[in-house]
Amino acid sequence: MLNKVLHVILLFFVSCSGNSDSMISPETEEAIIPSNLSLTIGVLGLDSENPNGDGSGTITCKATAVNAVTYGFKIENEAEVKNTNGVLDHTFSREGTNNYLVTVFAYSSTGHTISLFKTITVYVGEKPLQLVWSDEFDIDGEPDDSKWGYDLGNGCPDLCGWGNGEKQYYTNRPENVKVEDGILKITAKKVAYQGFDYTSARLLTKDKYEFTYGKVEVKAKLPSGSGTWPAIWMLGANIDTVGWPACGEIDIMEHWGHNPKIVSSATHTPACSGGCAGTKVGETTVNDFSNEFHVYGLEWTEDALHFSLDGTILYTYKPDVKDSNNWPYTKPQFLILNIAMGGNWFTIDENFTESTMEIDYIKIYQ
């Protein structure tokens, strides 16, 4: 009986010992460390004439290492990109010639890693501008209400013309604004209306279309007559919260009928309105302003405002040191078209009856 009991115990012991052996974790795997990591970076279009590439901004990174199964690439502060072939194509978007840090990691099958980095100089050319918004006024009648709104009355009767001493009352009546034969026509008229002696129109894209940076082209023929004050201009879309001039004003074109041959461009900021110390107003002579169409333009970048006439830059606003006082032009703005009548510093010809600003097209590129 004792022998039988001992035999059972022995079998149990042997059985348990076998199961125990199968559950023991294997010894830790020997570390595999990658070595001989190399990184080559090719810049697309690089040659003797283009030492930093062809302007596309595209580079190809190739990494190799002994005992590496995975590679990781990190461009500047962007997220790491991993793959197994050690090749990465990347395209930079910041225009100009800039230096970039490229870091590569080599990972072994045991998760161990080594790394190295290189600095590469890459040229990114200026991207072609694309038309993003336009109105060519192809449909007769009222202006497209999906693109344009109105300033009716313009603050009247309390603050007509925002305190400039203007004499008009702004309406949306066809006598003052209409599209005809592919042309937007804004007409200032001498007519009694709402207690005023003149009517006109002021169109704006506020809440319809607002943008930050881009190129604006407006093909226009200006009104004539002493007392007229046509303008093609822009205001910061945040004007309702920060007020004027903190919102920033950009006058692409202003013209005063009492000084008929001079067309002006200007900026208005908390630091300076129009022309003041260190900031001139862009003025040019246009003899046929009311007889011929001209393209009044603005190129607005992060660095400067360039004002142009028929494609020729006439005036640039570019503070050397920018802050919120002299450069509020970092936020969206909207377009405004209008003819004001009269002002605090000039009078209206008593024989004036009416005059029209004609707009052939407006185009915005980015």
Side-chain angles (χ1 to χ4, degrees):
M1 183 69 177
L2 179 60
N3 288 335
K4 185 178 288 189
V5 172
L6 291 174
H7 180 68
V8 172
I9 293 174
L10 180 61
L11 288 175
F12 179 78
F13 178 78
V14 171
S15 177
C16 289
S17 297
N19 289 338
S20 178
D21 287 341
S22 66
M23 295 174 63
I24 295 175
S25 300
E27 294 184 3
T28 303
E29 185 179 1
E30 183 178 355
I32 299 175
I33 309 297
S35 62
N36 298 330
L37 176 59
S38 67
L39 171 64
T40 60
I41 303 175
V43 183
L44 187 64
L46 186 149
D47 55 30
S48 59
E49 295 183 356
N50 301 286
N52 299 307
D54 60 6
S56 64
T58 299
I59 63 171
T60 297
C61 305
K62 295 182 179 179
T64 61
V66 176
N67 293 327
V69 295
T70 303
Y71 297 90
F73 295 90
K74 190 172 178 61
I75 310 295
E76 292 285 292
N77 294 319
E78 296 183 16
E80 183 181 350
V81 178
K82 289 186 177 182
N83 60 42
T84 58
N85 63 7
V87 178
L88 176 74
D89 291 329
H90 182 84
T91 300
F92 296 99
S93 59
R94 183 160 42 128
E95 294 179 1
T97 301
N98 299 287
N99 295 324
Y100 300 96
L101 181 67
V102 179
T103 306
V104 63
F105 305 88
Y107 298 90
S108 72
S109 59
T110 59
H112 294 81
T113 182
I114 58 174
S115 65
L116 63 81
F117 62 86
K118 286 187 176 181
T119 298
I120 185 74
T121 303
V122 182
Y123 167 65
V124 177
E126 184 176 341
K127 295 176 177 59
L129 293 174
Q130 303 293 322
L131 183 66
V132 295
W133 188 92
S134 66
D135 198 340
E136 301 192 35
F137 308 106
D138 293 330
I139 301 176
D140 287 359
E142 298 178 0
D144 186 344
D145 62 7
S146 71
K147 297 180 178 181
W148 299 100
Y150 301 92
D151 260 351
L152 301 178
N154 185 215
C156 292
D158 298 325
L159 195 63
C160 292
W162 287 353
N164 290 319
E166 300 168 19
K167 308 302 181 184
Q168 79 290 329
Y169 190 95
Y170 285 133
T171 85
N172 59 356
R173 302 189 306 168
E175 297 96 315
N176 297 118
V177 56
K178 63 182 177 180
V179 177
E180 186 176 58
D181 298 326
I183 301 293
L184 171 66
K185 297 180 178 180
I186 299 175
T187 302
K189 302 174 72 73
K190 184 176 183 179
V191 58
Y193 186 77
Q194 297 291 334
F196 290 79
D197 294 327
Y198 302 88
T199 61
S200 185
R202 187 158 100 165
L203 283 72
L204 63 166
T205 64
K206 189 175 189 298
D207 300 327
K208 308 280 187 176
Y209 182 74
E210 299 158 0
F211 66 101
T212 307
Y213 310 129
K215 182 177 181 180
V216 182
E217 293 181 339
V218 182
K219 187 175 181 180
K221 187 188 298 184
L222 306 183
S224 62
S226 181
T228 59
W229 181 6
I232 301 167
W233 53 303
M234 297 164 56
L235 281 174
N238 59 350
I239 186 171
D240 293 336
T241 56
V242 303
W244 183 94
C247 65
E249 177 181 329
I250 303 173
D251 298 329
I252 300 174
M253 186 288 303
E254 280 188 287
H255 178 263
W256 291 272
H258 67 280
N259 192 16
K261 295 183 179 180
I262 300 300
V263 174
S264 174
S265 301
T267 57
H268 297 267
T269 70
C272 177
S273 281
C276 53
T279 304
K280 66 177 183 179
V281 171
E283 293 183 345
T284 189
T285 300
V286 182
N287 293 314
D288 56 357
F289 66 93
S290 64
N291 299 321
E292 299 292 336
F293 283 97
H294 292 279
V295 178
Y296 299 94
L298 166 73
E299 187 171 355
W300 172 21
T301 70
E302 296 181 22
D303 190 49
L305 298 171
H306 302 285
F307 299 87
S308 63
L309 175 68
D310 296 328
T312 300
I313 294 177
L314 300 175
Y315 168 54
T316 294
Y317 177 67
K318 185 180 179 181
D320 293 332
V321 178
K322 295 178 175 62
D323 55 39
S324 59
N325 282 324
N326 64 17
W327 190 258
Y329 307 116
T330 60
K331 296 178 175 60
Q333 296 231 338
F334 59 90
L335 276 169
I336 307 171
L337 310 171
N338 72 288
I339 304 175
M341 289 298 300
N344 291 329
W345 64 99
F346 60 93
T347 59
I348 303 171
D349 181 356
E350 62 181 13
N351 296 314
F352 176 87
T353 56
E354 67 176 62
S355 194
T356 300
M357 176 165 64
E358 300 183 12
I359 308 289
D360 187 12
Y361 63 73
I362 300 174
K363 298 179 181 180
I364 299 176
Y365 303 85
Q366 287 183 317

